[in-house]
Structure formats: C-alpha cells, structure tokens
Amino acid sequence: MRVVNMAELAGPDWRFVADEIDRPDIEWRFHCATPNNAIERLIRKPRIARYRAAVAAACDARGADALLSHLPVATAAVAEATGWTGASPRHLAISFNFTSLPTGAKLAFMRRALRRVDRFLVYSRAEQQLYPALFGLDPARFDFLHWPMTVPATSGDAPLAQPYICAVGGEARDYATLIAAMRGLPEVPLVIVTRPGVVDAASLPANVHLLHNLPNARFWNVVRHSRLSVVPLRDAETNCGHITLVGSMLLGRAIVATRSSGIADYVADGETARVCDPGDPEALRAAIAEVWNDDGLRGRLAEHGRQFATDVSDSRHMAAYVGRYLAGG
C-alpha cells in the first residue's frame, strides 16, 4: 500500500502519524510546501512552494492507494493537480479549517477541486454543518475529531516577574476588544504572543506586553507560566482557537474565551472555561477579573479543562482515525 502525504506548513522531516500506525505494508511518501529555494522564499503570493508541492504530490499519487493533505487551500491545490496527472487515490483532507471563508473566484475554484476529495476532517461540529453547504458537498463526507495534541513542550523563564494572564495566537483573534477590557484592569498584566501586524503596538496600555514570533517552546512557555489563558475570538461563528484552547488546558491553565459555535465542543461555561459574548469589553473584563481573583474557580476550571483535553484530545486519536481510513473505514 502506498500513501502520499502533503503538508502545507510542516517541514520535510515531519512524518505525521506514519510511526504510530503499525502497518509494515504501507510505503509512506512525504511532500511539504516549505520554501526550498530563493524564488519560493521571495515570492509568497501566490505561494509558489504550495503549488510546487501539490504538483509533486499529485504526480507521486499516480498508482497510490491514498492521498492525505493538510489545510484547505493545499487540499484544493493537490486535488486539482490530481486531475492533471490522472491520479485517482482515495483522498483525505485533514485540518480542513478556515480563518475566513473563501468567496468569488477562490470559492469557485475550491468547489470544483474539492469534488475529488472523498473525506474531510474538521475540528468542530459547527464546521461539519458549515462546509458542506458552502462547497456543495455531502455532509456525510465530513468527520469531526477534537484537535489532537500532546502536552506542549516548554522552555525558558516566565516573561514577567509578577503574575500575569496571556493571550496567544493570531487566527481570527479580537485583540482590540481584549485590549479595551484590559484598560479597566490596570492591576492585571497581560502578555500577548502573536505575529507582527495583528496588534497595534502603539496603542497598548502599560499593563499589556506584546511578543512576536516566539519559537514553539517559548510560545507555550508563556502559557505555562500564566495565571490564565484568554482566547478572544472575532465573532460568534469563528472556527479558530482550537490549538490554543487544548494546549492551554493540557498545561493546566484556566480559560476565559469569547462564545463561538466553532469552539462549543471545547468550552462549557463554568466547567472547562469562563465564557462571555464576543465584542463586549465589559463582559470580557468581568470574566477575566472573576477568574483572576477567585483561586477556587480558577483551579476548578484548570483541572476540568486538563481532564477534558487529556480525554478527548489525546494525540493517539488522530493515528487511530487515519488508520481506520487507510483500512477502508
């Protein structure tokens, strides 16, 4: 059995679940969209490396039994390329998730290309309903799995000497509302970790500290040393924040999050998080203050969240799911 795996963001040494699936009969072939020459590093739009990897994977998929692709645009690219190369393996799209939904010509392209994909893996039940309607696909082709991961590795000292809260990540975040909330909590330090351009550094109050592009272990180290982790999402239908939620829970941090259908499978108000409406600085301020000041509540949220993430987001669930798919399930 030959399985071709195409990764959008992971490096060339990433083997996905190949080492966790006990199938000696599988020949794994790996392709990644990491820029590997000066032109690919220089030209980022269009992302040449993605389409180079997609064509290479589609060529490799001729005669393969299964094609695995990660993230939606890469999935559409390699699915379209299989039409050019004549490859026809079963195709599983993993981490099929959007920060912003496609429109116009991009949507038309994806609707056409995604017809060649037979199964999609999403990380919320809301997406199971949303994407079939958007792309004109059978809902039965969409599977749900909680975001799977191990306890994040961390390294380094705390970024601040005093207790603080954190907010990390850059996809579909509403940092403007969070910063507005923090203006009314001058005694509570906040550390934000995101990519450049997401937060206007010139407008930050004195209690908000901004860090950019930390290595993965230092990124999670900010969470590990925090008193609680805040996940402020853009609106009530945002399908982002899963990695931050699960990673924070596994590190034993209490969560304050804004309500969204996309994270309803992860947060239950008063159980695994304190939840408030999006776009409401006063409500977010009150939720942060409550969890910051109430040691008992903070401890309960942290413990319930850790147990929840340990149970439903075990990284072995992904290997089991892919194993079933490769076995014809």
Side-chain angles (χ1 to χ4, degrees), residues 12-72:
D13 296 329
W14 187 57
R15 291 176 52 80
F16 187 36
V17 294
D19 298 328
E20 301 168 58
I21 295 177
D22 187 16
R23 288 281 304 274
D25 61 307
I26 296 179
E27 176 194 0
W28 290 87
R29 306 288 289 271
F30 298 95
H31 298 268
C32 73
T34 303
N36 61 12
N37 58 57
I39 293 176
E40 290 184 354
R41 286 188 288 271
L42 180 65
I43 302 175
R44 304 307 296 266
K45 288 188 177 181
R47 195 160 185 263
I48 296 175
R50 173 192 295 142
Y51 298 101
R52 178 261 306 156
V55 172
C59 289
D60 208 7
R62 286 178 294 198
D65 299 280
L67 171 62
L68 313 179
S69 59
H70 302 258
L71 299 180

Side-chain angles (χ1 to χ4, degrees), residues 149-154 164 166 220-230 243-256 271-273 291 295-310:
M149 66 186 294
T150 57
V151 178
T154 64
Y164 65 91
C166 74
W220 286 114
N221 192 61
V222 172
V223 178
R224 181 171 71 90
H225 286 286
S226 69
R227 184 174 282 191
L228 62 99
S229 179
V230 186
I243 298 174
T244 300
L245 287 168
V246 174
S248 297
M249 289 175 177
L250 289 173
L251 288 170
R253 299 303 91 191
I255 302 288
V256 172
E271 291 294 326
T272 57
V291 180
D295 293 346
L297 173 63
R298 191 170 63 254
R300 288 193 301 275
L301 294 178
E303 182 54 35
H304 292 167
R306 190 206 304 266
Q307 189 59 57
F308 170 83
T310 299

